[in-house]
Amino acid sequence: MSLVGVVGAGVMGSGVAQTFAQAGHEIVLIDNDPDALAKALNAIELNARMSRMMGGPAVDHEQVLSLITTGTDLSLLAEAHIVIENVTENWETKKAVWQELEATCKAETIFVANTSAIPITKLASLTKRPTQVAGVHFMNPVPMKPAAELIKGYHTAPETIETVRDLLSSAGKRGIDVNDASGFVSNRVLMLTVNEAAYLVYEGVASAETVDDVFRSCFGHPMGPLETADLIGVDTILYSVEVLYEHFADSKYRPCPLLKQMTDAGLHGRKSGKGFYAY
């Protein structure tokens, strides 16, 4: 399991690459945007340098970077043992990537979806290896979180789950077993919370600061829901809520218009410099 492919070099993909490079795995990080790859390497170096200061272990950033190869061509993943997909939460985008991975990777390769809300069984249907497809919903920031949701699709083989569990364990992470459903556990609850918090701002009930203050001060949450939205990405929140709305056809998942407006305006949170807050 020494060669791990990571597709998508955004916030989550770079965190996944760093996590498994720190565990000693050889990483091939793929993105169709060379600038995104450069930013990812810079972020990985900075985060590795700062690991101890942020409460994590001391990390040899040079060793971590030496284990990461980058590129824009998925053919570089032909010999990967496991491929972890982290592209944007859009079905058509994911569909194109998964179809190319199926055509490129060797038959034994296990595919892992790091998705916020799209069911693992639906993604597995794009391949001829559904028994070798599992989901891992990593939390942000990936290197700092001790656990992740480990999702079994309808066809996922027990051996696949155990192999992925071993990969997580090698990086000091515990896989929490969850059955397949849109949003799984965390985002089935979290996205509703963030969406309702956005509605409070949209309707003028309270400011973002006030909403978050209630959750921090009254419930003891380390971050309020709208601070969390900025950390995850307002656009990612919107796409995830839209997937839940589409999958369940339930009006309780109706996306807040403010999320749509912010996404269209490029107010995506920390990664863009402004969301519900300015950074």
Side-chain angles (χ1 to χ4, degrees):
M1 203 191 301
S2 59
L3 182 58
V4 178
V6 179
V7 182
V11 173
M12 295 304 291
S14 62
V16 169
Q18 177 186 338
T19 294
F20 292 111
Q22 284 180 193
H25 297 280
E26 184 181 351
I27 307 297
V28 179
L29 177 61
I30 302 294
D31 198 287
N32 60 5
D33 182 357
D35 288 340
L37 290 168
K39 289 178 182 177
L41 289 177
N42 288 335
I44 290 169
E45 180 178 8
L46 176 62
N47 292 337
R49 285 178 180 271
M50 298 289 287
S51 175
R52 192 168 183 180
M53 293 178 62
M54 298 300 291
V59 175
D60 183 341
H61 67 276
E62 293 181 349
Q63 174 68 13
V64 168
L65 290 174
S66 74
L67 289 170
I68 300 175
T69 301
T70 64
T72 58
D73 192 339
L74 288 174
S75 66
L76 295 171
L77 303 178
E79 296 302 316
H81 298 92
I82 291 183
V83 173
I84 304 172
E85 174 269 310
N86 312 268
V87 304
T88 189
E89 198 73 0
N90 174 277
W91 172 249
E92 293 303 321
T93 302
K94 285 186 180 290
K95 180 179 178 181
V97 168
W98 278 70
Q99 289 174 332
E100 189 171 350
L101 287 173
E102 173 64 25
T104 299
C105 295
K106 60 185 181 180
E108 311 91 80
T109 302
I110 289 173
F111 292 163
V112 173
N114 177 20
T115 175
S116 298
I118 296 175
I120 303 308
T121 303
K122 185 175 182 179
L123 288 166
S125 71
L126 299 171
T127 79
K128 297 177 181 177
R129 63 185 86 195
T131 61
Q132 294 163 233
V133 176
V136 176
H137 181 211
F138 292 95
M139 310 299 164
N140 188 25
V142 180
M144 303 297 291
K145 299 297 182 178
E149 289 176 296
L150 177 55
I151 304 113
K152 177 183 181 295
Y154 184 87
H155 295 290
T156 309
E159 296 81 7
T160 298
I161 291 294
E162 291 312 307
T163 298
V164 177
R165 192 189 312 280
D166 289 344
L167 177 66
L168 291 171
S169 296
S170 74
K173 295 191 184 301
R174 181 168 62 93
I176 301 174
D177 290 357
V178 175
N179 288 326
D180 192 23
S182 181
F184 321 118
V185 170
S186 60
N187 280 349
R188 183 90 171 263
V189 176
L190 177 62
M191 295 304 161
L192 270 178
T193 303
V194 173
N195 197 46
E196 281 300 312
Y199 267 115
L200 291 170
V201 176
Y202 179 67
E203 296 166 1
V205 176
S207 67
E209 293 83 356
T210 299
V211 171
D212 287 339
D213 188 20
V214 168
F215 277 81
R216 289 195 310 270
S217 300
C218 297
F219 301 134
H221 292 194
M223 295 181 71
L226 299 177
E227 292 172 302
T228 302
D230 276 359
L231 177 63
I232 293 171
V234 173
D235 54 335
T236 301
I237 297 290
L238 172 63
Y239 301 148
S240 298
V241 174
E242 288 177 335
V243 169
L244 290 166
Y245 185 52
E246 176 187 0
H247 185 81
F248 292 110
D250 190 327
S251 61
K252 71 183 178 183
Y253 297 109
R254 180 169 59 92
C256 176
L258 179 58
L259 295 176
K260 295 184 178 182
Q261 184 181 49
M262 292 175 68
T263 297
D264 289 342
L267 306 178
H268 297 169
R270 289 179 180 267
K271 62 187 176 185
S272 68
K274 189 173 183 181
F276 287 97
Y277 300 88
Y279 301 90

